[in-house]
Amino acid sequence: MTAVLKAMFSALLIANSASAAEMEWLAGELPPFVWQTQGGPQGLAYELATQMSTKIGRPLSMTFYPWARAVRMAEGGPNYGVFPLARTPDREAQFKWLIPLAHVNYTFFGRSGSKVDLDALAALRGQRVGVLRGSPIIKNLQAEKFRHIVQAKDYKELLRLLAEDMIAAAYAGEPMLRAAIDEFKFRPQDFRSGLNLKSAELYMASSLALDGAEEERWLQAYRDLQADGTVARLQKKYLQRER
């Protein structure tokens, strides 16, 4: 093989290796962090990923999946990122925790006209309580001996179950469910919130197998966006209304 051919072959291997290491983001419909609209995706994590991708110098690669499937794919895949993922003890060693997004309280929601006491665990334990499928907060309910846990594929379905009286309460991250009420065209006055039961930090995370150089590209892009004020502006845009 000539020197020229060897050089071309080496360059091709390097290019293919760099391409193979590029992260693909996975997401579910989880406002205010990411959701789909007629005009395209929106949300804090989506806009942040788009801005970081621009800093890196490539178009954003992101695909929506049912949330439980997105988490499984990221846990077992080679170069997947996923957001927004709650950082919990059982997940700690299963992902790389790249970029913090927000601290969230997990809250019980009910219908405004319901007589269910949303501020008393004893009153809620015997009720049908809905939760997002694949969410680690199911374990919070199980630890408190909730007997009738109903899993919904996304927040839109969770709100529909609550609005149609198929569950007595929904248990979810407070900013996510409040944003879902707005984005999926439910009426805020039809719902009320109650007791908080635990909290968590939400992250943009990745597969453990993500290439170290690719990880650093995203982290440096995030640091640049912190420095120029983009992160603070996006947090204000999407989270201020939830506080």
Side-chain angles (χ1 to χ4, degrees), residues 201-228:
E201 302 295 329
L202 299 188
Y203 273 74
M204 301 175 80
S206 78
S207 309
L208 288 175
L210 180 68
D211 177 75
E214 176 71 352
E215 176 184 352
E216 181 55 31
R217 289 184 195 103
W218 289 93
L219 291 175
Q220 184 57 53
Y222 177 72
R223 289 190 287 266
D224 290 344
L225 294 175
Q226 277 186 308
D228 69 15

Side-chain angles (χ1 to χ4, degrees), residues 19-93:
S19 176
E22 290 183 5
M23 182 156 57
E24 177 187 352
W25 290 101
L26 312 175
E29 295 251 15
L30 297 167
F33 299 99
V34 58
W35 73 98
Q36 300 184 81
T37 71
Q38 289 185 342
Q42 292 188 20
L44 168 59
Y46 169 74
E47 285 203 40
L48 187 55
T50 300
Q51 295 274 5
M52 288 190 291
S53 189
T54 299
K55 288 280 186 184
I56 292 169
R58 69 173 76 135
L60 178 66
S61 176
M62 188 196 78
T63 307
F64 282 97
Y65 288 98
W67 182 235
R69 181 180 174 188
V71 174
R72 288 195 304 269
M73 289 174 65
E75 183 176 356
N79 291 301
Y80 288 131
V82 61
F83 55 72
L85 192 67
R87 188 170 187 171
T88 58
D90 58 321
R91 285 176 170 170
E92 183 65 32

Side-chain angles (χ1 to χ4, degrees), residues 177-197:
L177 206 64
R178 290 196 186 279
I181 289 170
D182 290 339
E183 300 305 331
F184 299 135
K185 309 306 179 188
F186 290 88
R187 300 196 313 165
Q189 61 268 32
D190 290 343
F191 303 97
R192 59 190 175 95
S193 62
L195 181 74
N196 292 335
L197 176 63

